[in-house]
Amino acid sequence: MSPINLETLKALLKEYVTQRQYSIDLILVGGLALQAYGVHERVTVDVDGELAGDLEPLLEFLRARQVPADLGENISGWSVVAMPPGYRNRTSVWHEAEGLRIRLLHPLDFVIAKLRRGTEQDLEDAQEVVTRFHLSPADIQVAADSAIQASPKDTALFTFRKILQVFDQRMSGS
């Protein structure tokens, strides 16, 4: 698989919108989001995001062009740990053109999205965003508490709290 960058994604989505006459409203959440935040060295081979609208035609379009995608209509449902309530309202528009809007999560929401999964790559991505946007441990904790409150009671919350603890220690250099 070849790496994908933001310019390639914009061109593909513009082609899709023009060909299919469908509008796209996409919130990026993976490596492409990091590129949009300014972390240009972050390489990715897929498109991760939340899509408002019909997923299947876009997935077929991307597959036909050998672009893997992990898209859903509700990224909060990608984990037992919910996204902080209101995350969609806190997004910012990164790119907008006729029929196409690409948005980014607020940096705090992006960090929580990454910590919900908690792989080494996710921790590195979260750390990059915390550093780039000067996010405080207190702000991260408030966002995490909000996510926990919105989540169903589950043992996964224990794991999420441990990931938060490890991440906090990593950020403080302990």
Side-chain angles (χ1 to χ4, degrees):
M1 284 181 245
S2 299
I4 184 169
N5 62 38
L6 290 167
E7 293 308 312
T8 302
L9 177 67
K10 279 196 306 189
L12 283 168
L13 295 180
K14 181 180 178 186
E15 179 186 349
Y16 174 81
V17 166
T18 302
Q19 280 183 8
R20 304 286 176 101
Q21 298 297 306
Y22 291 149
S23 291
I24 292 177
D25 184 359
L26 177 66
I27 302 172
L28 291 176
V29 296
L32 288 170
L34 271 173
Q35 291 177 21
Y37 288 137
V39 184
H40 302 292
E41 61 276 4
R42 176 62 157 84
V43 177
T44 189
V45 296
D46 65 348
V47 179
D48 301 309
E50 180 176 291
L51 180 71
D54 194 2
L55 290 168
E56 284 303 315
L58 179 58
L59 288 171
E60 289 172 14
F61 176 86
L62 292 172
R63 263 189 236 120
R65 285 148 185 83
Q66 287 80 46
V67 177
D70 190 4
L71 301 173
E73 64 183 3
N74 176 10
I75 61 170
S76 192
W78 288 5
S79 170
V80 170
V81 181
M83 286 293 293
Y87 71 92
R88 290 182 188 102
N89 298 330
R90 289 186 296 274
T91 61
S92 59
V93 175
W94 176 78
H95 176 78
E96 194 158 23
E98 188 173 335
L100 174 60
R101 182 165 67 163
I102 302 172
R103 297 186 284 157
L104 299 174
L105 291 171
H106 182 281
L108 277 170
D109 293 324
F110 179 86
V111 168
I112 297 305
K114 288 296 189 169
L115 296 180
R116 292 180 331 147
R117 202 170 92 170
T119 67
E120 182 59 32
Q121 182 67 62
D122 292 319
L123 295 177
E124 289 173 14
D125 291 350
Q127 187 170 358
E128 188 71 46
V129 169
V130 166
T131 302
R132 184 167 294 269
F133 291 96
H134 309 289
L135 302 177
S136 74
D139 288 340
I140 295 167
Q141 190 60 57
V142 167
D145 289 345
S146 176
I148 290 168
Q149 287 300 315
S151 301
K153 303 308 171 225
D154 191 285
T155 55
L157 297 179
F158 173 78
T159 303
F160 179 66
R161 285 186 179 100
K162 293 303 272 180
I163 291 168
L164 281 168
Q165 184 179 32
V166 166
F167 186 70
D168 185 54
Q169 291 169 349
R170 181 180 194 153
M171 292 304 299
S172 65
S174 305

